[in-house]
Amino acid sequence: MTTLQDTRDLDTPELGDQALAAARALLGMPIRIEQWNNEATRDTIRHYSWGIGDDNPLYSDPDYAAGTRWGSIIAPPTFFFAVFDAVVAPGLEDIQWYYSGIDAEFFQPMKRNDEIKASAEYVEAKKLEGRRVRNMVLQTGEVLYHNQKGELCTRVRSHTFRVARSGASDGLRYEPREKHVYTEAELDAIMTAQLEEFRRGAATLWWDDVQEGEDLPGTVRGPINQMDMTTYYAGAVGTTGYKSTKLKWRYTAWARNDPDKLPNNYDKCYYGAKVLPSIGHQDAKVAQSDLGMPGPYDNGPQRCGMLATVVTNWIGDEGEMLRYSARIKLPVIFGDTHRFAGRVTGKRIEEGAALVDLELWGENQLGQVTITGSATVKLKQR
C-alpha cells in the first residue's frame, strides 16, 4: 500500500500505513496557541452564547446575573471553545480534520472580565476503523484554561479524526443528501419549540427531588443554515482556518514559506492544504466532491455546545456542571433540525457533594442520532 509520504504530490493523498507512525512521531511537540478570545468580556460571552442559540440572561444580562449566586455574568461551560477550539492534531498534510468530541472537566466558571490563557499538549494518536472508512487516525490533545489568577477553570481532552478525502481509495464517501424541505406546519412547530424552551433560571433544582430515569426537557435547534454558521464563527472559531482577506493570504504564505511564523506551530498542514479544511462548512461542492460529506455541514464544537445547553437549562443558575463528554456520530448538513435530549442515569453523594449523572444525545429530523454525551452536575441538597 502506498504511504502518505509517497502520495503528497497527488491531488488526494492516501492515509497510508505510515500515517499513524507519522502522527505519533509528533507526540510531545511544543504547542503554540493562537487564541480567538483572550478575555471573557460581556460581549465575547454573549457572542459565543448566541452562536449556539443560548440567550440565557446569566450569560448576557448584567442586572440579572448580579442577583445570582455568581454576582455577575459568567460564561457557559463550553465557552472554552471561544478561547481556543481545543483542536490539537498536527501533521498529515492534506488529510481532512473532523471533530470527534471532547472530555471536559470544569473547576470554576469563566467570569466576566477574566483573562483566560490556554495551554496545550498533544497526547495521543491511534488508528481506528469506522463503518464508512476503514482507515482513520484519531488524534487527542489536552488543553488547560487558566484565569488571570492562575486558577484552573477547565481541562479538556479534545479528539479529532483524520480521514482521507473522497478521491483517495480509503477516503470518506457519504451519499449526497438534499437539504431537507419542511412544511409550514413543521416550521411553526420548530419555531414554537425554541420560543417555549425550558430554562429553570433562578428556581432551585434540589438534588433530593431528582429521580433516576427522569427525562430532561431538552432543546431544539435549526434548521441550520449558513447564517447560523457565520454567527457561530464570529463568536467562537476565528482561530484555526477562519481567516479573511489579507490575513488569509498572510497565513497561507507563512505556511508555504516560513511556518515558524504561524501562531499555531502545527498549522503548516492546515494553511498549506490544497483544500482549506474548513471550507466544507460553507461550500456544497467542496463538502460533497472533495471531502465526501453529504453536504455543507455544521461545526462539531458548535454541536457540542448546543447539547450542553440541555444540561445548563435544566440545572438552573445554582447548579454546576462538573464533567461533560460528547461524541460526534454523524454529519449535520444545512437544513437539518436537531432535538437535543437527556436523561438522569444516577445520583449519589460523593465527598459531601450532591451529584447527578446524565445521559445526553441529539437526533436530526430523520430520527438519526448524530451526537451522544454524558455529564455530571452538582446540585443543592435540602
Side-chain angles (χ1 to χ4, degrees):
M1 180 182 292
T2 58
T3 69
L4 181 67
Q5 288 78 3
D6 295 334
T7 57
R8 279 182 175 172
D9 293 332
L10 301 180
D11 290 338
T12 308
E14 305 280 340
L15 190 64
D17 290 341
Q18 303 304 312
L20 179 60
R24 292 191 63 82
L26 299 174
L27 289 171
M29 67 179 289
I31 300 295
R32 298 195 305 266
I33 289 178
E34 178 186 50
Q35 297 184 191
W36 179 233
N37 290 308
N38 294 293
E39 298 178 8
T41 68
R42 176 182 177 181
D43 289 331
T44 58
I45 294 172
R46 176 172 56 89
H47 294 164
Y48 171 77
S49 301
W50 286 10
I52 57 173
D54 191 345
D55 57 353
N56 190 334
L58 180 61
Y59 309 141
S60 59
D61 185 334
D63 293 334
Y64 176 89
T68 69
R69 62 172 289 197
W70 308 108
S72 68
I73 287 173
I74 64 171
T78 54
F79 178 75
F80 67 85
F81 284 128
V83 176
F84 170 62
D85 63 9
V87 174
V88 181
L92 306 184
E93 187 170 350
D94 277 301
I95 299 298
Q96 183 64 22
W97 288 254
Y98 291 112
Y99 212 80
S100 170
I102 58 168
D103 299 295
E105 297 176 86
F106 306 101
F107 300 94
Q108 59 183 308
M110 298 180 191
K111 299 179 180 179
R112 182 182 180 183
N113 296 328
D114 275 355
E115 295 183 13
I116 307 300
K117 179 67 174 178
S119 58
E121 183 181 359
Y122 176 37
V123 297
E124 187 177 13
K126 60 183 179 181
K127 187 175 180 179
L128 295 177
E129 293 185 7
R131 288 182 299 174
R132 295 181 179 274
V133 180
R134 64 177 177 81
N135 191 14
M136 299 183 291
V137 171
L138 181 69
Q139 295 176 286
T140 297
E142 181 170 278
V143 186
L144 306 179
Y145 300 81
H146 289 84
N147 64 20
Q148 71 278 6
K149 299 177 183 178
E151 299 166 333
L152 179 61
C153 295
T154 307
R155 175 189 290 120
V156 178
R157 281 212 164 201
S158 179
H159 313 286
T160 305
F161 287 132
R162 305 299 299 278
V163 183
R165 294 169 179 157
S166 60
S169 63
D170 56 352
L172 182 64
R173 296 182 189 88
Y174 277 94
E175 288 296 321
R177 178 159 61 86
E178 294 296 322
K179 185 176 179 180
H180 192 82
V181 178
Y182 300 86
T183 66
E184 286 300 320
E186 288 172 328
L187 289 173
D188 286 344
I190 290 169
M191 180 175 70
T192 299
Q194 295 182 62
L195 294 178
E196 297 180 355
E197 179 174 303
F198 172 86
R199 184 166 60 229
R200 192 174 305 277
T204 300
L205 174 62
W206 297 99
W207 178 88
D208 312 72
D209 297 334
V210 173
Q211 300 296 317
E212 185 172 345
E214 73 172 276
D215 292 329
L216 278 59
T219 61
V220 173
R221 295 288 182 269
I224 192 170
N225 57 34
Q226 197 162 24
M227 185 63 73
D228 296 313
M229 301 305 301
T230 301
T231 302
Y232 180 72
Y233 298 155
V237 289
T239 51
T240 303
Y242 296 88
K243 298 293 185 293
S244 65
T245 59
K246 180 180 178 180
L247 285 174
K248 172 185 65 178
W249 292 111
R250 174 175 290 171
Y251 279 59
T252 299
W254 281 343
R256 293 173 179 172
N257 305 314
D258 200 352
D260 287 341
K261 289 185 177 179
L262 287 168
N264 291 346
N265 58 321
Y266 53 85
D267 274 346
K268 177 181 182 295
C269 292
Y270 199 100
Y271 290 102
K274 297 181 180 70
V275 177
L276 186 65
S278 300
I279 199 65
H281 296 303
Q282 303 275 353
D283 189 304
K285 179 181 181 301
V286 171
Q288 294 177 338
S289 300
D290 295 321
L291 305 185
M293 295 290 271
Y297 54 99
D298 73 340
N299 185 284
Q302 180 187 34
R303 207 186 319 169
C304 293
M306 289 177 174
L307 180 62
T309 302
V310 172
V311 180
T312 54
N313 278 356
W314 182 68
I315 63 177
D317 300 341
E318 295 188 347
E320 296 179 60
M321 184 187 289
L322 302 183
R323 288 181 287 278
Y324 173 57
S325 293
R327 293 293 184 274
I328 303 296
K329 298 297 183 181
L330 287 174
V332 168
I333 67 170
F334 289 0
D336 285 356
T337 297
H338 255 78
R339 288 169 174 81
F340 297 101
R343 181 178 300 119
V344 176
T345 57
K347 51 185 292 190
R348 55 204 159 91
I349 303 294
E350 187 175 287
E351 298 182 353
L355 306 181
V356 176
D357 296 316
L358 305 169
E359 174 190 13
L360 306 166
W361 67 93
E363 294 183 3
N364 64 16
Q365 73 281 355
L366 303 175
Q368 300 170 322
V369 174
T370 74
I371 185 171
T372 60
S374 63
T376 298
V377 299
K378 179 181 176 182
L379 302 177
K380 292 183 71 173
Q381 186 180 17
R382 285 194 176 95

